[in-house]
Amino acid sequence: MSNSFHTGFVCVSCGARFAPGQTDGACPACGGNLDATYDYARIGREVDPRAIADATDRSIWRFAPFLPVDPARALDGAGDVIRQVGNSPLIRARRLEARLGAQAIWLKDDGRLPSASFKDRASAMVVARAIEAGRTVIATASSGNAAAALAVMSACAGPQAVIFVPRTTPEGKLSQMLIHGARVYVVDGTYDDAVRMCAEACAKFGWWNRSTGVNPFTREGKKTAGLEIAEQLGRAEGGAPFRAPDAVIVPVGDGNIISGVCKGFRELFAAGWIEAMPRFYGVTATLAPSLYRAWQAGVETFDLIEATTIAGGISVDRPNDGAMAIRAVRDTGGIFIEATDAEMLAAMSDLAQSEGVFVEPACAAAWVGLEKALTNGLIRPDEEVVLQLTGSGLKDIRSALAAAADPGRSVGAMTLTRSRCKFDQV
Ligand SMILES: *Cc1c(COP(=O)(O)O)cnc(C)c1O
Ligand SMILES: [Zn+2]
């Protein structure tokens, strides 16, 4: 097949195994999610980590031995944007460290990827696989960011993007899908309704379904954030080319990002490129409680509970990659933490005003999680922590204005009427 280290897929529910290319969707036996497998022992023997860390190509495609596609072949003829996905900055949060008395806090800012969210990693991988497999239409359900990313990556690589989004999708994300030429269906319902409609349309029209939890290639794109974090930490220290932090904190909706970032570290560990695994902490919205309740009950089955949080990126009624998210947290010794809407809005202002980093509410959940984990002693102040930031604040400016309008935090909010300038407060 395309990549000599990629050995196939295993179903995370029933354990059935499939050869590369045998299936590109959910498990044909039970409908469960598939997880791509590789020969890590051979990667460890045959691939020089230094060659990847020092490659002049800084995109996700330099991790080719860990990928289920052959980037050189799949992206031949594609525009540059899809070939430049990756290498988002790892920012040392020095002012937050000082305030919390912590020693090493890093922000992995994926708001600075091409479509301004983490989802570029997944959509780029899916589009590359679509080209490789000759698929011309890719459909996805999304709360906004996955679809915006799919629209961008499709625009510069060929396939037609078809998108199903809930009516609550912020205008910023919607405008991205439209301007990049995707066909957009605004569903009169929730994200979970969009997921169902997208699956039905794919079954009917033969489109390839990119939706989270159905398409095994999204996690393969998302894991590149984990690979990059370890490489950037290695470079910061100047020792081994890859290095793991003590803890990673990730906002969680469907659970595909946390399971992906965790997979990146698991792979480096399996190849012998890092010495230990970081602990993973998942942060869910209090107003999207399905995954958190399953975690508390110690089960991997999820009730459908209507989500009402303003944090669109993590607003799910039932997580579509929940079991893998729970395993990422449980197997590494972390826990799940909940964040309220008010806490996320306050965290947005905090990150923006302490570090100059502008994030959307879902993303700010990671910062809420860190504050709580430090307060409760789950993470010690001397530990090194990475916050996975997932989306730019410009995606959802209504929430940003709501956060900034909090009277306790804003200074000098100003309203301009036709001829007068009136200061609300100074
Ligand atoms: C999608 C998304 C998440 C959550 O990712 P899941 O894979 O659904 O857990 C978090 N933040 C933002 C901004 C997102 O777009
Ligand atoms: Zn199965």
Short mmCIF file of all heavy atoms in Angstrom, two decimals, residues 116-119 142-146 173 191 212 218 222 250-260 283 291 311-316 319-321 325 359-365 388-392 395, ligand 1:
data_model
loop_
_atom_site.label_atom_id
_atom_site.label_comp_id
_atom_site.label_asym_id
_atom_site.label_seq_id
_atom_site.Cartn_x
_atom_site.Cartn_y
_atom_site.Cartn_z
N ALA A 116 -7.57 28.50 10.77
CA ALA A 116 -7.64 29.01 12.14
C ALA A 116 -8.25 28.04 13.15
O ALA A 116 -8.82 28.45 14.15
CB ALA A 116 -8.35 30.37 12.19
N SER A 117 -8.17 26.74 12.87
CA SER A 117 -8.52 25.76 13.91
C SER A 117 -7.71 24.49 13.75
O SER A 117 -7.14 24.20 12.70
CB SER A 117 -10.01 25.43 13.91
OG SER A 117 -10.29 24.29 13.13
N PHE A 118 -7.70 23.71 14.84
CA PHE A 118 -7.03 22.40 14.90
C PHE A 118 -7.50 21.47 13.80
O PHE A 118 -6.76 20.58 13.35
CB PHE A 118 -7.36 21.79 16.27
CG PHE A 118 -6.65 20.51 16.58
CD1 PHE A 118 -5.56 20.50 17.43
CD2 PHE A 118 -7.09 19.30 16.03
CE1 PHE A 118 -4.91 19.30 17.73
CE2 PHE A 118 -6.44 18.11 16.33
CZ PHE A 118 -5.34 18.11 17.17
N LYS A 119 -8.77 21.64 13.36
CA LYS A 119 -9.39 20.69 12.44
C LYS A 119 -8.68 20.62 11.08
O LYS A 119 -8.91 19.69 10.31
CB LYS A 119 -10.87 21.03 12.23
CG LYS A 119 -11.71 21.01 13.50
CD LYS A 119 -11.81 19.62 14.09
CE LYS A 119 -12.99 19.48 15.06
NZ LYS A 119 -12.92 20.33 16.26
N SER A 142 -20.57 18.99 11.12
CA SER A 142 -19.60 19.77 11.87
C SER A 142 -20.31 20.81 12.68
O SER A 142 -21.39 21.28 12.31
CB SER A 142 -18.66 20.44 10.86
OG SER A 142 -17.85 21.41 11.48
N SER A 143 -19.69 21.21 13.81
CA SER A 143 -20.21 22.36 14.53
C SER A 143 -19.63 23.64 13.93
O SER A 143 -19.95 24.73 14.36
CB SER A 143 -19.87 22.26 16.01
OG SER A 143 -18.48 22.35 16.19
N GLY A 144 -18.76 23.48 12.94
CA GLY A 144 -18.23 24.65 12.23
C GLY A 144 -16.78 24.51 11.80
O GLY A 144 -16.45 24.68 10.63
N ASN A 145 -15.90 24.19 12.74
CA ASN A 145 -14.48 24.20 12.41
C ASN A 145 -14.05 23.07 11.47
O ASN A 145 -13.24 23.29 10.57
CB ASN A 145 -13.64 24.13 13.69
CG ASN A 145 -13.61 25.47 14.41
OD1 ASN A 145 -13.80 26.52 13.79
ND2 ASN A 145 -13.38 25.43 15.71
N ALA A 146 -14.58 21.86 11.69
CA ALA A 146 -14.20 20.75 10.82
C ALA A 146 -14.63 21.05 9.39
O ALA A 146 -13.90 20.78 8.42
CB ALA A 146 -14.85 19.46 11.30
N LYS A 173 -17.44 30.98 10.98
CA LYS A 173 -17.16 29.64 10.45
C LYS A 173 -17.97 29.40 9.17
O LYS A 173 -17.45 28.85 8.19
CB LYS A 173 -17.50 28.58 11.51
CG LYS A 173 -16.69 28.75 12.80
CD LYS A 173 -17.06 27.72 13.87
CE LYS A 173 -16.34 28.05 15.18
NZ LYS A 173 -16.60 27.10 16.26
N TYR A 191 -25.98 19.66 16.33
CA TYR A 191 -24.84 19.01 15.68
C TYR A 191 -25.11 17.52 15.48
O TYR A 191 -24.83 16.96 14.42
CB TYR A 191 -23.58 19.23 16.54
CG TYR A 191 -22.41 18.34 16.18
CD1 TYR A 191 -21.81 18.41 14.92
CD2 TYR A 191 -21.91 17.41 17.09
CE1 TYR A 191 -20.73 17.59 14.60
CE2 TYR A 191 -20.84 16.59 16.78
CZ TYR A 191 -20.25 16.68 15.53
OH TYR A 191 -19.21 15.86 15.22
N THR A 212 -16.56 13.09 12.26
CA THR A 212 -15.77 12.57 13.38
C THR A 212 -16.40 11.30 13.95
O THR A 212 -17.60 11.25 14.17
CB THR A 212 -15.70 13.65 14.48
OG1 THR A 212 -15.11 14.81 13.92
CG2 THR A 212 -14.86 13.18 15.65
N THR A 218 -9.34 11.00 10.36
CA THR A 218 -9.28 12.25 11.13
C THR A 218 -8.29 12.13 12.29
O THR A 218 -7.48 13.01 12.53
CB THR A 218 -10.66 12.66 11.69
OG1 THR A 218 -11.15 11.65 12.57
CG2 THR A 218 -11.67 12.90 10.58
N LYS A 222 -5.00 14.33 13.39
CA LYS A 222 -4.96 15.01 14.69
C LYS A 222 -3.76 14.59 15.53
O LYS A 222 -3.23 15.39 16.30
CB LYS A 222 -6.28 14.74 15.43
CG LYS A 222 -7.45 15.49 14.79
CD LYS A 222 -8.79 15.12 15.38
CE LYS A 222 -9.88 16.03 14.80
NZ LYS A 222 -11.21 15.78 15.37
N VAL A 250 -6.63 19.06 27.07
CA VAL A 250 -7.30 19.17 25.77
C VAL A 250 -8.79 19.41 25.97
O VAL A 250 -9.43 18.68 26.75
CB VAL A 250 -7.11 17.85 24.96
CG1 VAL A 250 -7.69 17.99 23.55
CG2 VAL A 250 -5.65 17.44 24.88
N PRO A 251 -9.39 20.39 25.27
CA PRO A 251 -10.86 20.52 25.31
C PRO A 251 -11.49 19.35 24.56
O PRO A 251 -10.98 18.92 23.52
CB PRO A 251 -11.13 21.84 24.58
CG PRO A 251 -9.91 22.14 23.79
CD PRO A 251 -8.76 21.41 24.42
N VAL A 252 -12.60 18.82 25.09
CA VAL A 252 -13.18 17.59 24.55
C VAL A 252 -14.66 17.75 24.21
O VAL A 252 -15.46 18.16 25.05
CB VAL A 252 -13.02 16.43 25.56
CG1 VAL A 252 -13.75 15.19 25.08
CG2 VAL A 252 -11.54 16.11 25.79
N GLY A 253 -14.99 17.42 22.95
CA GLY A 253 -16.39 17.33 22.53
C GLY A 253 -16.67 15.88 22.16
O GLY A 253 -17.05 15.07 22.99
N ASP A 254 -16.42 15.52 20.89
CA ASP A 254 -16.53 14.13 20.47
C ASP A 254 -15.43 13.26 21.07
O ASP A 254 -15.56 12.05 21.16
CB ASP A 254 -16.44 14.04 18.94
CG ASP A 254 -17.78 14.33 18.27
OD1 ASP A 254 -18.81 13.92 18.82
OD2 ASP A 254 -17.78 14.96 17.19
N GLY A 255 -14.29 13.88 21.38
CA GLY A 255 -13.18 13.12 21.95
C GLY A 255 -12.13 12.69 20.94
O GLY A 255 -11.17 11.99 21.28
N ASN A 256 -12.27 13.14 19.70
CA ASN A 256 -11.33 12.73 18.65
C ASN A 256 -10.00 13.47 18.76
O ASN A 256 -8.94 12.90 18.48
CB ASN A 256 -11.99 12.99 17.29
CG ASN A 256 -11.33 12.26 16.13
OD1 ASN A 256 -10.91 12.89 15.17
ND2 ASN A 256 -11.21 10.95 16.21
N ILE A 257 -10.02 14.73 19.22
CA ILE A 257 -8.76 15.46 19.34
C ILE A 257 -7.92 14.85 20.46
O ILE A 257 -6.74 14.54 20.27
CB ILE A 257 -8.99 16.97 19.62
CG1 ILE A 257 -9.59 17.64 18.37
CG2 ILE A 257 -7.68 17.64 20.00
CD1 ILE A 257 -9.75 19.15 18.49
N ILE A 258 -8.52 14.62 21.63
CA ILE A 258 -7.71 14.10 22.74
C ILE A 258 -7.20 12.69 22.41
O ILE A 258 -6.05 12.36 22.69
CB ILE A 258 -8.47 14.14 24.08
CG1 ILE A 258 -7.48 13.95 25.23
CG2 ILE A 258 -9.60 13.13 24.15
CD1 ILE A 258 -8.04 14.26 26.61
N SER A 259 -8.02 11.89 21.75
CA SER A 259 -7.55 10.54 21.43
C SER A 259 -6.46 10.62 20.36
O SER A 259 -5.52 9.81 20.35
CB SER A 259 -8.70 9.63 20.99
OG SER A 259 -9.04 9.78 19.64
N GLY A 260 -6.55 11.62 19.49
CA GLY A 260 -5.52 11.79 18.45
C GLY A 260 -4.20 12.29 19.02
O GLY A 260 -3.14 11.72 18.75
N VAL A 283 -11.12 18.29 29.05
CA VAL A 283 -12.04 19.26 29.65
C VAL A 283 -13.31 19.32 28.81
O VAL A 283 -13.27 19.66 27.63
CB VAL A 283 -11.40 20.66 29.75
CG1 VAL A 283 -12.29 21.57 30.59
CG2 VAL A 283 -10.00 20.57 30.34
N LEU A 291 -20.32 12.78 27.99
CA LEU A 291 -19.06 12.06 28.18
C LEU A 291 -18.64 12.06 29.65
O LEU A 291 -18.21 11.04 30.19
CB LEU A 291 -17.97 12.68 27.31
CG LEU A 291 -16.71 11.82 27.13
CD1 LEU A 291 -16.03 12.15 25.80
CD2 LEU A 291 -15.71 12.01 28.24
N ALA A 311 -20.18 26.94 23.87
CA ALA A 311 -18.90 26.54 23.29
C ALA A 311 -19.14 25.55 22.15
O ALA A 311 -19.14 24.33 22.35
CB ALA A 311 -18.01 25.93 24.37
N GLY A 312 -19.35 26.08 20.94
CA GLY A 312 -19.76 25.27 19.79
C GLY A 312 -18.86 24.08 19.53
O GLY A 312 -19.34 22.97 19.26
N GLY A 313 -17.56 24.26 19.63
CA GLY A 313 -16.61 23.19 19.29
C GLY A 313 -16.72 21.97 20.18
O GLY A 313 -16.30 20.87 19.81
N ILE A 314 -17.29 22.12 21.38
CA ILE A 314 -17.42 20.97 22.29
C ILE A 314 -18.88 20.73 22.69
O ILE A 314 -19.16 20.09 23.69
CB ILE A 314 -16.52 21.11 23.54
CG1 ILE A 314 -16.79 22.43 24.29
CG2 ILE A 314 -15.05 21.03 23.15
CD1 ILE A 314 -16.01 22.54 25.62
N SER A 315 -19.81 21.25 21.87
CA SER A 315 -21.22 21.07 22.14
C SER A 315 -21.72 19.82 21.44
O SER A 315 -22.11 19.86 20.27
CB SER A 315 -22.00 22.31 21.67
OG SER A 315 -23.37 22.14 21.90
N VAL A 316 -21.70 18.69 22.12
CA VAL A 316 -22.18 17.44 21.53
C VAL A 316 -23.18 16.78 22.49
O VAL A 316 -22.98 16.79 23.70
CB VAL A 316 -21.03 16.45 21.22
CG1 VAL A 316 -20.02 17.06 20.26
CG2 VAL A 316 -20.32 15.99 22.48
N PRO A 319 -20.93 11.88 22.55
CA PRO A 319 -19.62 11.94 21.88
C PRO A 319 -19.45 10.82 20.85
O PRO A 319 -19.80 9.68 21.12
CB PRO A 319 -18.63 11.78 23.02
CG PRO A 319 -19.38 11.05 24.09
CD PRO A 319 -20.82 11.50 23.97
N ASN A 320 -18.89 11.16 19.68
CA ASN A 320 -18.71 10.17 18.62
C ASN A 320 -17.36 9.44 18.68
O ASN A 320 -17.13 8.53 17.89
CB ASN A 320 -18.88 10.84 17.25
CG ASN A 320 -20.33 11.21 17.01
OD1 ASN A 320 -21.21 10.37 17.05
ND2 ASN A 320 -20.59 12.50 16.81
N ASP A 321 -16.48 9.86 19.56
CA ASP A 321 -15.23 9.10 19.76
C ASP A 321 -14.95 9.01 21.27
O ASP A 321 -13.81 9.07 21.72
CB ASP A 321 -14.07 9.79 19.03
CG ASP A 321 -12.90 8.84 18.75
OD1 ASP A 321 -13.10 7.60 18.83
OD2 ASP A 321 -11.79 9.31 18.47
N ALA A 325 -11.54 8.57 23.86
CA ALA A 325 -11.18 9.71 24.72
C ALA A 325 -11.01 9.23 26.16
O ALA A 325 -10.05 9.60 26.84
CB ALA A 325 -12.27 10.78 24.64
N VAL A 359 -8.67 33.11 21.68
CA VAL A 359 -9.24 31.79 21.39
C VAL A 359 -10.76 31.82 21.44
O VAL A 359 -11.36 32.72 22.00
CB VAL A 359 -8.74 30.72 22.39
CG1 VAL A 359 -7.23 30.59 22.34
CG2 VAL A 359 -9.22 31.04 23.82
N GLU A 360 -11.39 30.79 20.85
CA GLU A 360 -12.84 30.67 20.96
C GLU A 360 -13.19 29.94 22.27
O GLU A 360 -12.32 29.33 22.89
CB GLU A 360 -13.42 29.97 19.73
CG GLU A 360 -13.01 28.52 19.55
CD GLU A 360 -13.84 27.84 18.45
OE1 GLU A 360 -15.01 27.46 18.70
OE2 GLU A 360 -13.30 27.69 17.35
N PRO A 361 -14.48 30.00 22.70
CA PRO A 361 -14.83 29.48 24.03
C PRO A 361 -14.43 28.02 24.25
O PRO A 361 -13.88 27.67 25.31
CB PRO A 361 -16.36 29.64 24.07
CG PRO A 361 -16.64 30.78 23.15
CD PRO A 361 -15.62 30.69 22.06
N ALA A 362 -14.69 27.14 23.27
CA ALA A 362 -14.37 25.71 23.45
C ALA A 362 -12.91 25.54 23.80
O ALA A 362 -12.53 24.75 24.66
CB ALA A 362 -14.69 24.94 22.17
N CYS A 363 -12.09 26.31 23.13
CA CYS A 363 -10.65 26.23 23.31
C CYS A 363 -10.24 26.72 24.69
O CYS A 363 -9.33 26.15 25.35
CB CYS A 363 -10.04 27.07 22.21
SG CYS A 363 -8.29 27.22 22.28
N ALA A 364 -10.92 27.74 25.17
CA ALA A 364 -10.60 28.31 26.48
C ALA A 364 -10.82 27.30 27.60
O ALA A 364 -10.30 27.45 28.70
CB ALA A 364 -11.43 29.57 26.73
N ALA A 365 -11.61 26.25 27.32
CA ALA A 365 -11.85 25.21 28.33
C ALA A 365 -10.54 24.61 28.83
O ALA A 365 -10.43 24.22 30.00
CB ALA A 365 -12.75 24.10 27.75
N GLN A 388 -3.49 22.26 24.76
CA GLN A 388 -3.77 22.21 23.33
C GLN A 388 -4.85 23.24 23.02
O GLN A 388 -6.00 23.09 23.44
CB GLN A 388 -4.23 20.81 22.92
CG GLN A 388 -4.60 20.70 21.45
CD GLN A 388 -3.41 20.95 20.53
OE1 GLN A 388 -2.41 20.24 20.57
NE2 GLN A 388 -3.50 21.97 19.68
N LEU A 389 -4.46 24.31 22.32
CA LEU A 389 -5.43 25.33 21.91
C LEU A 389 -5.96 24.95 20.53
O LEU A 389 -5.20 24.56 19.65
CB LEU A 389 -4.79 26.72 21.90
CG LEU A 389 -4.19 27.16 23.25
CD1 LEU A 389 -3.73 28.61 23.17
CD2 LEU A 389 -5.18 26.98 24.39
N THR A 390 -7.29 25.08 20.36
CA THR A 390 -7.92 24.44 19.21
C THR A 390 -8.55 25.38 18.19
O THR A 390 -8.85 24.95 17.08
CB THR A 390 -9.00 23.47 19.71
OG1 THR A 390 -9.77 24.15 20.71
CG2 THR A 390 -8.38 22.22 20.31
N GLY A 391 -8.79 26.65 18.55
CA GLY A 391 -9.45 27.50 17.56
C GLY A 391 -9.33 28.98 17.88
O GLY A 391 -9.32 29.38 19.06
N SER A 392 -9.24 29.79 16.84
CA SER A 392 -9.09 31.25 17.00
C SER A 392 -10.37 31.91 17.49
O SER A 392 -11.48 31.52 17.12
CB SER A 392 -8.69 31.85 15.65
OG SER A 392 -8.95 33.25 15.65
N LYS A 395 -13.24 33.21 15.12
CA LYS A 395 -14.24 32.29 14.60
C LYS A 395 -15.63 32.60 15.16
O LYS A 395 -16.63 32.25 14.55
CB LYS A 395 -13.90 30.87 15.05
CG LYS A 395 -12.62 30.32 14.48
CD LYS A 395 -12.93 29.67 13.19
CE LYS A 395 -11.86 28.70 12.75
NZ LYS A 395 -12.35 27.94 11.61
C1 LIG B 1 -13.69 20.21 17.44
C2 LIG B 1 -13.21 21.12 18.49
C3 LIG B 1 -12.90 20.68 19.78
C4 LIG B 1 -13.14 19.27 20.28
O1 LIG B 1 -12.67 18.23 19.48
P1 LIG B 1 -13.36 16.81 19.59
O2 LIG B 1 -12.60 15.92 18.71
O3 LIG B 1 -14.79 16.98 19.17
O4 LIG B 1 -13.28 16.40 21.03
C5 LIG B 1 -12.41 21.60 20.68
N1 LIG B 1 -12.23 22.89 20.35
C6 LIG B 1 -12.54 23.36 19.13
C7 LIG B 1 -12.32 24.80 18.84
C8 LIG B 1 -13.03 22.49 18.16
O5 LIG B 1 -13.35 22.97 16.95
#
